[in-house]
């Protein structure tokens, strides 16, 4: 069935990226018969794993315990992430700021938002910033995403964690609720995966942004660089950093925030920004920049 879909996508000039959503661990903290499950919202989307046996053999819980269990630490989820990475997977955390209170027959599911997975898990490729993860605790300036990026600068993480639009789509209506734009050098499945791994992605939501894209996003210390979009790239500068951001055309009513190391260092109204970071030029320390654009 997937081969047929892939062939149809190719005929229509599309690329089919296959993924599997997994919640690898849950636990019961209620006494029988009043079972209460948690962990049901700890969802992850896995890409770049083609062998079904990898999922059959993964270290995941497949049964409910009747006796109450203590709240687990990060170990069950980290074992699962490590296993997936060992099999070449791209692993994204889904809807990290969405909780749920549900009933599964007689079993109560009490599931707060799994925001802590952003910080406590090593090896995640990315997380879904839209439609909910851009809020203050997860993707907002100084939130847990920024915490992980600072940890990368300090050598505490092997690679940065990227933000993308949610792959876990359950909504009715337009896909404009969450969209990812990949900046590919060629139109191929391998290039899609490279972009996801290396952060060559812009995430957006809402009708105001559906007909536009990021035309400039670069950091330099002298003249304009050859590459006008530096998503996920590292650069070494000798002088004061100049940061440039611009959409491909003006959009009315926009507000731009420039974030450096978790702190908002500039705010402008409009569709473009040019900022000379004199403070970082004096301090000469590692830094990352990212931009939030609100309509």
């Amino acid at each position: 069935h997937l081969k047929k879909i892939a062939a149809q996508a190719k005929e229509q000039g599309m690329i089919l990226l296959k993924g599997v959503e997994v919640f690898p661990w849950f636990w019961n903290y209620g006494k029988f018969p009043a079972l209460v499950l948690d962990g049901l919202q700890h969802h992850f989307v896995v890409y770049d794993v083609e062998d079904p046996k990898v999922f059959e053999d993964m270290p995941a819980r497949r049964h409910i315990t009747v006796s109450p269990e203590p709240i687990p630490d990060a170990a069950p989820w980290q074992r699962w992430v490590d296993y997936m990475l060992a099999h070449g997977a791209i692993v994204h955390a889904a809807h990290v700021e969405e909780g749920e209170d549900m009933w599964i027959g007689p079993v109560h599911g009490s599931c707060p938002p799994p925001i802590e997975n952003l910080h406590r898990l090593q090896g995640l490729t990315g997380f879904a910033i839209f439609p909910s993860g851009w809020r203050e605790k997860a993707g907002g300036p100084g939130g847990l995403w920024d915490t992980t990026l600072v940890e990368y600068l300090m050598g505490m993480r092997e690679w940065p964690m990227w933000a993308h639009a949610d792959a876990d789509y359950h909504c009715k209506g337009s896909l404009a609720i969450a969209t990812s734009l990949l900046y590919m050098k060629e139109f191929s499945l391998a290039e899609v995966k490279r972009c996801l791994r290396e952060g060559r992605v812009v995430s957006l939501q809402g009708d105001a942004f559906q007909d536009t894209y990021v035309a400039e996003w670069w950091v330099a210390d002298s003249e304009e660089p050859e590459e006008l979009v530096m998503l996920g790239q590292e650069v070494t500068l000798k002088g004061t950093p100049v940061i440039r951001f611009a959409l491909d055309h003006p959009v009315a009513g926009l507000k731009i925030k420039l974030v450096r190391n978790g702190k908002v260092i500039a705010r402008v109204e409009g569709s473009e920004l040019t900022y000379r970071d004199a403070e970082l030029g004096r301090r000469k320390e590692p830094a990352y920049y990212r931009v939030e654009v609100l309509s």
Side-chain angles (χ1 to χ4, degrees), residues 4-163:
K4 182 179 179 181
I5 294 175
Q8 292 173 339
K10 187 175 181 180
E11 289 178 0
Q12 298 178 39
M14 302 171 65
I15 294 173
L16 179 65
L17 176 64
K18 291 174 281 187
V20 177
E21 184 179 7
V22 180
F23 66 98
W25 200 260
F26 55 91
W27 71 99
N28 165 51
Y29 60 89
K31 293 183 178 180
F32 184 82
L35 305 185
V36 184
L37 299 184
D38 200 349
L40 302 179
Q41 283 293 97
H42 293 243
H43 292 191
F44 303 86
V45 181
V46 178
Y47 302 105
D48 208 11
V49 175
E50 299 287 337
D51 186 357
K53 196 172 188 308
V54 172
F55 294 100
E56 294 172 6
D57 296 341
M58 66 183 178
R61 170 156 280 183
R62 295 173 172 84
H63 64 277
I64 298 175
T65 61
V66 176
S67 301
E69 299 175 281
I71 298 174
D73 58 16
W77 292 276
Q78 190 64 64
R79 281 195 298 270
W80 179 82
V81 172
D82 292 343
Y83 169 86
M84 284 298 172
L85 295 178
H87 288 83
I90 296 171
V91 183
H92 285 146
H95 49 70
V96 294
E97 284 221 34
E98 289 184 3
E100 191 165 355
D101 193 294
M102 68 184 87
W103 287 90
I104 308 170
V107 179
H108 183 202
S110 179
C111 312
I115 304 172
E116 69 276 8
N117 284 334
L118 295 185
H119 180 250
R120 68 178 185 170
L121 296 181
Q122 290 279 342
L124 294 177
T125 315
F127 79 104
I129 196 166
F130 293 136
S132 65
W134 59 273
R135 297 170 187 161
E136 181 180 357
K137 292 182 180 179
L144 288 182
W145 182 30
D146 280 325
T147 299
T148 68
L149 295 176
V150 170
E151 288 176 344
Y152 169 72
L153 293 181
M154 297 173 64
M156 299 169 63
R157 290 179 178 267
E158 190 173 351
W159 56 73
M161 181 168 57
W162 309 113

Side-chain angles (χ1 to χ4, degrees), residues 112-244:
I115 304 172
E116 69 276 8
N117 284 334
L118 295 185
H119 180 250
R120 68 178 185 170
L121 296 181
Q122 290 279 342
L124 294 177
T125 315
F127 79 104
I129 196 166
F130 293 136
S132 65
W134 59 273
R135 297 170 187 161
E136 181 180 357
K137 292 182 180 179
L144 288 182
W145 182 30
D146 280 325
T147 299
T148 68
L149 295 176
V150 170
E151 288 176 344
Y152 169 72
L153 293 181
M154 297 173 64
M156 299 169 63
R157 290 179 178 267
E158 190 173 351
W159 56 73
M161 181 168 57
W162 309 113
H164 67 112
D166 206 338
D168 181 29
Y169 182 76
H170 293 278
C171 306
K172 296 180 180 179
S174 173
L175 281 171
I177 192 173
T179 306
S180 291
L181 302 181
L182 304 183
Y183 284 67
M184 302 190 294
K185 294 183 178 180
E186 62 179 35
F187 191 71
S188 68
L189 179 58
E191 183 68 1
V192 168
K193 295 175 183 178
R194 186 185 76 85
C195 287
L196 291 178
R197 290 184 183 277
E198 298 181 7
R200 294 195 60 79
V201 55
V202 169
S203 301
L204 54 99
Q205 71 173 356
D207 294 334
F209 298 108
Q210 294 305 307
D211 63 346
T212 188
Y213 61 91
V214 175
E216 290 186 75
W217 172 234
W218 51 263
V219 180
D221 55 5
S222 56
E223 61 186 36
E224 181 181 287
E226 292 184 6
E227 276 198 270
L228 296 185
V229 179
M230 291 180 168
L231 299 175
Q233 290 180 237
E234 294 186 5
V235 295
T236 300
L237 308 179
K238 295 181 180 180
T240 299
V242 176
I243 301 95
R244 170 68 177 168

Side-chain angles (χ1 to χ4, degrees), residues 237-260:
L237 308 179
K238 295 181 180 180
T240 299
V242 176
I243 301 95
R244 170 68 177 168
F245 173 87
L247 298 180
D248 68 299
H249 68 269
V251 179
L254 297 188
K255 297 180 180 179
I256 300 175
K257 295 179 185 178
L258 177 63
V259 179
R260 185 236 294 146

